[in-house]
Amino acid sequence: RTVQLIPLNCIHCSFPIPAEVNEVAWLCANCGTSMALSEAGELLPYEINFAANLSPGTIGKPFWVAEGKVNLIRESYNQNWQSDREALEFWSQPRSFFIPAYECDLEEMLTVGMRFLTDPPELIKGAKSDFLPVTQSATDFRPFAEFLIIALEAARKDKVRSIHIRLALQEPALWILPP
């Protein structure tokens, strides 16, 4: 098999996009157009949202963000009804899931994802800013969100025995948040 290299150019002004390995979304340095690679490898327009609280001169961190509704059935070894009730109450309302779209290890993904799941930042659009490379595709969002749910439930003190989840998600949006 031969390898074919295709240069990436802005879909609006044809300015070269300095793409690195594993990157999936960019902002044109020339005209400011935002774009992302589709699953088929096409470069398409894609909205990138920038948080209003990004300080000028800082490099933001990209996150895939989507609201999700979790239907949870859990069982614990010690029949701790209080923990079951707390879990059901927590998941009774829609939650915003924040999944790092930048290169990070599993521990950071869990730490940041769980922190934002329990205390989400306010999402108000602001001015464009520099940001870390977007290396995680939106297609990875669902498995990471499910993993966060399981990790959060496993962290409860009731010795969880089994967890069954059903997750309804909105389409993820790309947000650039303060570091």
Side-chain angles (χ1 to χ4, degrees):
R1 293 174 49 179
T2 61
V3 174
Q4 184 180 14
L5 296 177
I6 301 170
L8 290 178
N9 294 316
C10 176
I11 57 177
H12 184 258
C13 72
S14 298
F15 193 78
I17 303 297
E20 295 294 327
V21 175
N22 296 330
E23 278 188 273
V24 297
W26 303 267
L27 192 63
C28 179
N30 186 52
C31 71
T33 297
S34 54
M35 61 207 98
L37 277 179
S38 71
E39 287 303 306
E42 296 175 273
L43 197 55
L44 301 172
Y46 195 90
E47 183 178 7
I48 300 176
N49 303 287
F50 294 83
N53 59 348
L54 275 166
S55 299
T58 62
I59 297 177
K61 290 187 173 184
F63 285 84
W64 293 109
V65 180
E67 189 170 282
K69 180 73 174 133
V70 177
N71 184 351
L72 180 76
I73 300 171
R74 67 189 316 275
E75 187 179 350
S76 57
Y77 281 106
N78 59 359
Q79 301 296 319
N80 186 335
W81 305 117
Q82 178 66 26
S83 284
D84 289 342
R85 191 171 31 254
E86 287 171 4
L88 293 174
E89 186 176 306
F90 180 81
W91 296 113
S92 68
Q93 57 187 317
R95 294 286 170 178
S96 293
F97 290 84
F98 290 74
I99 307 297
Y102 57 92
E103 192 67 39
C104 67
D105 60 23
L106 183 60
E107 184 176 333
E108 182 178 353
M109 189 276 291
L110 279 173
T111 301
V112 172
M114 286 176 59
R115 178 171 39 109
F116 285 166
L117 187 61
T118 57
D119 186 22
E122 193 172 35
L123 297 177
I124 299 172
K125 291 183 180 182
K128 292 180 181 178
S129 173
D130 289 334
F131 54 92
L132 293 177
V134 178
T135 57
Q136 299 298 324
S137 168
T139 58
D140 297 330
F141 190 88
R142 176 173 287 282
F144 282 141
E146 290 172 347
F147 190 74
L148 276 176
I149 295 166
I150 292 168
L152 187 69
E153 289 305 308
R156 294 189 191 275
K157 299 187 185 326
D158 67 346
K159 299 179 184 168
V160 67
R161 179 178 179 177
S162 66
I163 301 171
H164 300 281
I165 58 173
R166 200 168 344 157
L167 176 60
L169 283 171
Q170 292 179 345
E171 192 66 30
L174 187 57
W175 276 87
I176 309 301
L177 302 177

